Amino acid sequence: MKTAVIPQVRVEPELRADLDAALLPGETLTDFVETAVRNAVEFRRMQTDFAARCDASLANYERTGVSVASDVVLSKLEAKVAARVKQLRK
């Protein structure tokens, strides 16, 4: 597959200096930009998926009138966080 090029972006000299200072040892500007673009694309994809789930949930509530109490939702989220923290501490 043939690769494509991302357009050049003009920035202020201060931003370029900050960028150069933020590069890790051995990391190139190209590496940094590619990683940043990939992360931004993934973040946007997650935002879009989240919005779609929200819309579906709202439509389901409007159709059925059935919802889950906020304290139940928060309890489940807290349990998930606690389980993940426990897993990471092993």
Side-chain angles (χ1 to χ4, degrees):
M1 175 168 63
K2 191 172 181 180
T3 60
V5 176
I6 295 174
Q8 292 181 358
V9 178
R10 295 202 176 275
V11 297
E12 296 82 20
E14 296 82 16
L15 178 58
R16 176 58 197 256
D18 289 344
L19 174 56
D20 288 337
L23 294 176
L24 299 172
E27 183 179 36
T28 66
L29 180 58
T30 300
D31 296 334
F32 183 89
V33 170
E34 182 181 357
T35 299
V37 169
R38 287 182 187 280
N39 290 342
V41 168
E42 180 60 22
F43 181 78
R44 294 272 177 98
R45 185 177 297 123
M46 287 189 307
Q47 278 184 316
T48 301
D49 292 347
F50 180 78
R53 289 192 311 273
C54 289
D55 291 343
S57 179
L58 178 60
N60 184 57
Y61 170 72
E62 289 173 341
R63 189 177 63 256
T64 65
V66 176
S67 66
V68 179
S70 60
D71 59 334
V72 172
V73 173
L74 291 174
S75 294
K76 288 181 180 182
L77 288 173
E78 288 170 353
K80 285 182 179 184
V81 169
R84 182 66 175 149
V85 166
K86 184 178 179 181
Q87 180 185 33
L88 290 173
R89 288 188 175 155
K90 286 184 179 179

